């Protein structure tokens, strides 16, 4: 595995239903809440629920050796991300969801 799974972002049509599922059915605690998003703690793994017109997900791995992971996943046509303090790349899973790998 490349890095540590740190955050999963779910884009959802019914934010309240999704928050209720993860909070009430799975026992996750709400960390923060805004009008269009809810952040939950999944025992060290964050879940971010955001209101969007389309469904989907984004998974983020942190603490990644970006160069090694990029080379391992080159067949997936990764797109590089460059920031002032972080480096990384993005690939798509078979359903088109975003999977990010970053060094921080």
């Amino acid at each position: 595995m490349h890095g540590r799974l740190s955050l999963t972002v779910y884009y959802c049509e019914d934010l309240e239903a999704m928050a209720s599922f993860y909070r009430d059915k799975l026992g996750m605690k709400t960390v923060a809440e805004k009008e269009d998003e809810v952040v939950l703690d999944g025992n060290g793994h964050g879940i971010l629920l955001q209101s969007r017109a389309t469904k989907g997900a984004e998974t983020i791995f942190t603490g990644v050796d970006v160069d090694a992971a990029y080379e391992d996943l080159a067949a997936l046509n990764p797109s590089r991300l460059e920031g002032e303090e972080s480096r990384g790349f993005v690939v798509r899973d078979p359903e088109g969801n975003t999977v990010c790998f970053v060094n921080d």
Side-chain angles (χ1 to χ4, degrees):
M1 182 186 299
H2 295 287
R4 179 182 70 244
L5 182 60
S6 296
L7 178 70
T8 300
V9 180
Y10 292 99
Y11 303 111
C12 46
E13 294 177 27
D14 189 339
L15 183 63
E16 287 304 313
M18 287 288 282
S20 177
F21 173 79
Y22 283 97
R23 186 177 45 238
D24 303 336
K25 304 290 185 203
L26 301 182
M28 295 182 178
K29 296 194 184 313
T30 300
V31 175
E33 200 165 353
K34 294 182 186 176
E35 181 180 339
D36 61 349
E37 69 182 34
V38 176
V39 180
L40 302 156
D41 178 12
N43 197 23
H45 174 82
I47 301 285
L48 172 60
L49 307 174
Q50 288 190 327
S51 293
R52 291 284 170 95
T54 59
K55 293 182 181 179
E58 181 174 347
T59 303
I60 301 172
F61 288 87
T62 58
V64 174
D65 178 340
V66 173
D67 295 329
Y70 188 91
E71 184 177 319
D72 286 348
L73 301 172
L76 299 176
N77 299 316
S79 299
R80 287 210 183 261
L81 302 171
E82 298 288 337
E84 289 182 26
E85 297 181 23
S86 65
R87 292 179 47 239
F89 64 92
V90 174
V91 297
R92 299 281 181 176
D93 72 12
E95 295 287 326
N97 297 305
T98 303
V99 182
C100 297
F101 297 87
V102 294
N103 66 337
D104 58 345

